[in-house]
């Protein structure tokens, strides 16, 4: 099992992920509020900061991220799988 730590509002939650699950699936399974739309790496609405650890998009491309967001360490949980334990921040776009 892989561990995902998510820091939201100064609290850290520890989640476990199966290797075949996308990070978005894990967050939703644990009731973490995150916006989603395309679930295909295109719209960018699930954008979230990756603070530590490695993720992989496999054959897919994170088209929903611009160069500035990539450089700032953001990733797209809807198409990302964990390559190691990861630590992430609060999803950038709040649920309405
Ligand atoms: S839901 Fe569209 S990029 Fe993640």
């Amino acid at each position: 099992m892989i561990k995902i730590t998510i820091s939201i509002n100064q609290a850290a939650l520890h989640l476990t992920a199966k290797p075949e699950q996308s990070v978005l699936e894990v967050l939703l399974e644990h009731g973490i509020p995150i916006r989603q739309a395309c679930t295909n790496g295109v719209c960018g609405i699930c954008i979230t900061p990756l603070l530590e650890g490695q993720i992989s998009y496999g054959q897919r491309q994170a088209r929903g991220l611009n160069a500035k967001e990539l450089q700032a360490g953001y990733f797209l949980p809807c198409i990302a799988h964990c390559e190691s334990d990861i630590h992430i921040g609060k999803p950038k776009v709040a649920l309405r």
Side-chain angles (χ1 to χ4, degrees), residues 14-81:
H14 302 283
L15 319 175
T16 52
K18 297 184 192 110
E20 67 273 17
Q21 285 182 299
S22 70
V23 176
L24 178 68
E25 287 168 344
V26 179
L27 297 180
L28 293 174
E29 190 178 284
H30 290 84
I32 306 297
I34 180 167
R35 289 198 67 187
Q36 55 170 310
C38 70
T39 66
N40 202 21
V42 176
C43 73
I45 205 157
C46 65
I47 181 172
T48 297
L50 178 65
L51 306 176
E52 279 182 77
Q54 299 293 320
I55 55 100
S56 165
Y57 295 124
Q59 304 290 322
R60 302 169 106 175
Q61 290 188 353
R63 294 203 177 90
L65 286 179
N66 64 34
K68 205 171 161 185
E69 291 164 340
L70 269 175
Q71 205 175 15
Y74 286 101
F75 79 113
L76 296 176
C78 67
I79 56 166
H81 289 76

